[in-house]
mmCIF file of all heavy atoms in Angstrom:
data_model
loop_
_atom_site.group_PDB
_atom_site.id
_atom_site.type_symbol
_atom_site.label_atom_id
_atom_site.label_comp_id
_atom_site.label_asym_id
_atom_site.label_seq_id
_atom_site.Cartn_x
_atom_site.Cartn_y
_atom_site.Cartn_z
ATOM 1 N N THR A 194 183.458 143.525 58.967
ATOM 2 C CA THR A 194 184.034 144.862 58.837
ATOM 3 C C THR A 194 183.182 145.867 59.605
ATOM 4 O O THR A 194 181.984 145.666 59.804
ATOM 5 C CB THR A 194 184.143 145.293 57.358
ATOM 6 O OG1 THR A 194 184.778 146.566 57.291
ATOM 7 C CG2 THR A 194 182.789 145.373 56.704
ATOM 8 N N THR A 195 183.808 146.953 60.059
ATOM 9 C CA THR A 195 183.109 148.007 60.785
ATOM 10 C C THR A 195 183.362 149.341 60.093
ATOM 11 O O THR A 195 184.307 149.490 59.322
ATOM 12 C CB THR A 195 183.608 148.096 62.238
ATOM 13 O OG1 THR A 195 185.031 148.331 62.236
ATOM 14 C CG2 THR A 195 183.334 146.807 62.993
ATOM 15 N N ARG A 196 182.488 150.298 60.360
ATOM 16 C CA ARG A 196 182.586 151.639 59.760
ATOM 17 C C ARG A 196 182.701 151.559 58.253
ATOM 18 O O ARG A 196 183.495 152.241 57.622
ATOM 19 C CB ARG A 196 183.788 152.406 60.348
ATOM 20 C CG ARG A 196 183.676 152.611 61.843
ATOM 21 C CD ARG A 196 184.699 153.617 62.360
ATOM 22 N NE ARG A 196 186.062 153.212 62.115
ATOM 23 C CZ ARG A 196 186.923 153.918 61.404
ATOM 24 N NH1 ARG A 196 186.552 155.055 60.865
ATOM 25 N NH2 ARG A 196 188.158 153.500 61.236
ATOM 26 N N ALA A 197 181.917 150.674 57.638
ATOM 27 C CA ALA A 197 182.037 150.446 56.202
ATOM 28 C C ALA A 197 181.272 151.512 55.411
ATOM 29 O O ALA A 197 180.167 151.903 55.767
ATOM 30 C CB ALA A 197 181.512 149.064 55.848
ATOM 31 N N ASP A 198 181.876 151.949 54.342
ATOM 32 C CA ASP A 198 181.238 152.854 53.391
ATOM 33 C C ASP A 198 181.086 152.100 52.071
ATOM 34 O O ASP A 198 182.060 151.898 51.351
ATOM 35 C CB ASP A 198 182.098 154.112 53.200
ATOM 36 C CG ASP A 198 181.471 155.099 52.226
ATOM 37 O OD1 ASP A 198 180.454 154.744 51.591
ATOM 38 O OD2 ASP A 198 182.001 156.211 52.090
ATOM 39 N N TRP A 199 179.864 151.659 51.793
ATOM 40 C CA TRP A 199 179.619 150.889 50.567
ATOM 41 C C TRP A 199 178.952 151.744 49.488
ATOM 42 O O TRP A 199 178.360 151.225 48.556
ATOM 43 C CB TRP A 199 178.738 149.678 50.887
ATOM 44 C CG TRP A 199 179.548 148.498 51.354
ATOM 45 C CD1 TRP A 199 180.796 148.538 51.888
ATOM 46 C CD2 TRP A 199 179.154 147.132 51.337
ATOM 47 N NE1 TRP A 199 181.211 147.270 52.214
ATOM 48 C CE2 TRP A 199 180.224 146.382 51.889
ATOM 49 C CE3 TRP A 199 178.011 146.452 50.931
ATOM 50 C CZ2 TRP A 199 180.179 145.005 52.032
ATOM 51 C CZ3 TRP A 199 177.966 145.081 51.075
ATOM 52 C CH2 TRP A 199 179.031 144.366 51.608
ATOM 53 N N LEU A 212 178.162 137.440 56.547
ATOM 54 C CA LEU A 212 178.412 138.879 56.478
ATOM 55 C C LEU A 212 178.117 139.524 57.825
ATOM 56 O O LEU A 212 177.018 139.407 58.362
ATOM 57 C CB LEU A 212 177.537 139.522 55.396
ATOM 58 C CG LEU A 212 177.629 141.056 55.261
ATOM 59 C CD1 LEU A 212 179.034 141.483 54.873
ATOM 60 C CD2 LEU A 212 176.614 141.571 54.249
ATOM 61 N N ILE A 214 178.609 143.382 59.348
ATOM 62 C CA ILE A 214 179.006 144.699 58.857
ATOM 63 C C ILE A 214 178.306 145.807 59.640
ATOM 64 O O ILE A 214 177.179 145.647 60.096
ATOM 65 C CB ILE A 214 178.673 144.819 57.344
ATOM 66 C CG1 ILE A 214 179.366 146.026 56.717
ATOM 67 C CG2 ILE A 214 177.187 144.849 57.098
ATOM 68 C CD1 ILE A 214 179.356 146.003 55.196
ATOM 69 N N SER A 215 179.025 146.914 59.814
ATOM 70 C CA SER A 215 178.480 148.112 60.433
ATOM 71 C C SER A 215 178.687 149.259 59.455
ATOM 72 O O SER A 215 179.819 149.632 59.158
ATOM 73 C CB SER A 215 179.196 148.394 61.760
ATOM 74 O OG SER A 215 178.772 149.626 62.294
ATOM 75 N N PHE A 216 177.608 149.811 58.960
ATOM 76 C CA PHE A 216 177.699 150.832 57.921
ATOM 77 C C PHE A 216 177.854 152.238 58.496
ATOM 78 O O PHE A 216 177.173 152.622 59.438
ATOM 79 C CB PHE A 216 176.444 150.818 57.050
ATOM 80 C CG PHE A 216 176.357 149.654 56.102
ATOM 81 C CD1 PHE A 216 175.349 148.727 56.224
ATOM 82 C CD2 PHE A 216 177.283 149.504 55.093
ATOM 83 C CE1 PHE A 216 175.247 147.669 55.355
ATOM 84 C CE2 PHE A 216 177.192 148.448 54.211
ATOM 85 C CZ PHE A 216 176.172 147.522 54.339
ATOM 86 N N VAL A 217 178.769 153.004 57.903
ATOM 87 C CA VAL A 217 178.759 154.446 58.050
ATOM 88 C C VAL A 217 177.904 155.034 56.939
ATOM 89 O O VAL A 217 177.061 155.892 57.159
ATOM 90 C CB VAL A 217 180.193 155.016 58.005
ATOM 91 C CG1 VAL A 217 180.153 156.529 57.876
ATOM 92 C CG2 VAL A 217 180.943 154.634 59.258
ATOM 93 N N ALA A 218 178.121 154.527 55.740
ATOM 94 C CA ALA A 218 177.315 154.917 54.587
ATOM 95 C C ALA A 218 176.875 153.644 53.871
ATOM 96 O O ALA A 218 177.661 153.041 53.139
ATOM 97 C CB ALA A 218 178.108 155.822 53.651
ATOM 98 N N PRO A 219 175.637 153.173 54.093
ATOM 99 C CA PRO A 219 175.173 151.950 53.435
ATOM 100 C C PRO A 219 174.915 152.186 51.957
ATOM 101 O O PRO A 219 174.750 153.336 51.518
ATOM 102 C CB PRO A 219 173.870 151.633 54.179
ATOM 103 C CG PRO A 219 173.402 152.956 54.660
ATOM 104 C CD PRO A 219 174.641 153.756 54.970
ATOM 105 N N PRO A 220 174.884 151.132 51.162
ATOM 106 C CA PRO A 220 174.574 151.307 49.739
ATOM 107 C C PRO A 220 173.137 151.793 49.561
ATOM 108 O O PRO A 220 172.250 151.441 50.347
ATOM 109 C CB PRO A 220 174.767 149.894 49.166
ATOM 110 C CG PRO A 220 174.604 148.980 50.332
ATOM 111 C CD PRO A 220 175.104 149.728 51.524
ATOM 112 N N LEU A 240 173.969 142.699 60.998
ATOM 113 C CA LEU A 240 173.973 144.123 60.665
ATOM 114 C C LEU A 240 173.934 144.909 61.962
ATOM 115 O O LEU A 240 172.920 144.917 62.669
ATOM 116 C CB LEU A 240 172.751 144.476 59.802
ATOM 117 C CG LEU A 240 172.657 143.812 58.426
ATOM 118 C CD1 LEU A 240 171.389 144.252 57.716
ATOM 119 C CD2 LEU A 240 173.869 144.140 57.573
ATOM 120 N N HIS A 241 175.058 145.536 62.324
ATOM 121 C CA HIS A 241 175.091 146.347 63.530
ATOM 122 C C HIS A 241 175.251 147.805 63.160
ATOM 123 O O HIS A 241 175.505 148.143 62.000
ATOM 124 C CB HIS A 241 176.179 145.876 64.497
ATOM 125 C CG HIS A 241 177.477 145.494 63.859
ATOM 126 N ND1 HIS A 241 178.663 146.142 64.111
ATOM 127 C CD2 HIS A 241 177.789 144.512 62.967
ATOM 128 C CE1 HIS A 241 179.635 145.587 63.418
ATOM 129 N NE2 HIS A 241 179.146 144.602 62.713
ATOM 130 N N HIS A 242 175.109 148.695 64.134
ATOM 131 C CA HIS A 242 174.978 150.117 63.844
ATOM 132 C C HIS A 242 176.174 150.894 64.379
ATOM 133 O O HIS A 242 176.488 150.833 65.570
ATOM 134 C CB HIS A 242 173.694 150.654 64.476
ATOM 135 C CG HIS A 242 173.373 152.068 64.091
ATOM 136 N ND1 HIS A 242 173.119 152.442 62.795
ATOM 137 C CD2 HIS A 242 173.276 153.189 64.839
ATOM 138 C CE1 HIS A 242 172.865 153.734 62.766
ATOM 139 N NE2 HIS A 242 172.967 154.219 63.988
ATOM 140 N N ALA A 243 176.835 151.621 63.486
ATOM 141 C CA ALA A 243 177.933 152.488 63.891
ATOM 142 C C ALA A 243 177.362 153.804 64.429
ATOM 143 O O ALA A 243 176.306 154.263 63.977
ATOM 144 C CB ALA A 243 178.858 152.763 62.708
ATOM 145 N N ALA A 246 175.692 156.788 62.289
ATOM 146 C CA ALA A 246 175.637 156.245 60.931
ATOM 147 C C ALA A 246 174.229 156.382 60.354
ATOM 148 O O ALA A 246 173.245 156.545 61.085
ATOM 149 C CB ALA A 246 176.055 154.778 60.941
ATOM 150 N N LEU A 247 174.145 156.277 59.041
ATOM 151 C CA LEU A 247 172.857 156.307 58.371
ATOM 152 C C LEU A 247 172.165 154.951 58.513
ATOM 153 O O LEU A 247 172.828 153.919 58.542
ATOM 154 C CB LEU A 247 173.041 156.628 56.883
ATOM 155 C CG LEU A 247 173.678 157.980 56.551
ATOM 156 C CD1 LEU A 247 173.948 158.072 55.057
ATOM 157 C CD2 LEU A 247 172.766 159.115 57.003
ATOM 158 N N ALA A 249 170.358 151.505 57.533
ATOM 159 C CA ALA A 249 170.589 150.616 56.378
ATOM 160 C C ALA A 249 169.290 149.938 55.955
ATOM 161 O O ALA A 249 169.294 148.786 55.514
ATOM 162 C CB ALA A 249 171.644 149.574 56.726
ATOM 163 N N PHE A 252 169.033 148.652 52.256
ATOM 164 C CA PHE A 252 169.863 147.471 52.023
ATOM 165 C C PHE A 252 169.199 146.222 52.597
ATOM 166 O O PHE A 252 169.105 145.179 51.926
ATOM 167 C CB PHE A 252 171.231 147.689 52.656
ATOM 168 C CG PHE A 252 172.181 146.537 52.497
ATOM 169 C CD1 PHE A 252 172.725 146.213 51.276
ATOM 170 C CD2 PHE A 252 172.542 145.777 53.607
ATOM 171 C CE1 PHE A 252 173.610 145.148 51.135
ATOM 172 C CE2 PHE A 252 173.425 144.713 53.493
ATOM 173 C CZ PHE A 252 173.960 144.399 52.249
#
Side-chain angles (χ1 to χ4, degrees):
T194 183
T195 58
R196 299 192 300 121
D198 181 352
W199 274 22
L212 176 62
I214 194 166
S215 174
F216 286 116
V217 169
L240 297 179
H241 41 118
H242 187 62
L247 299 173
F252 180 70

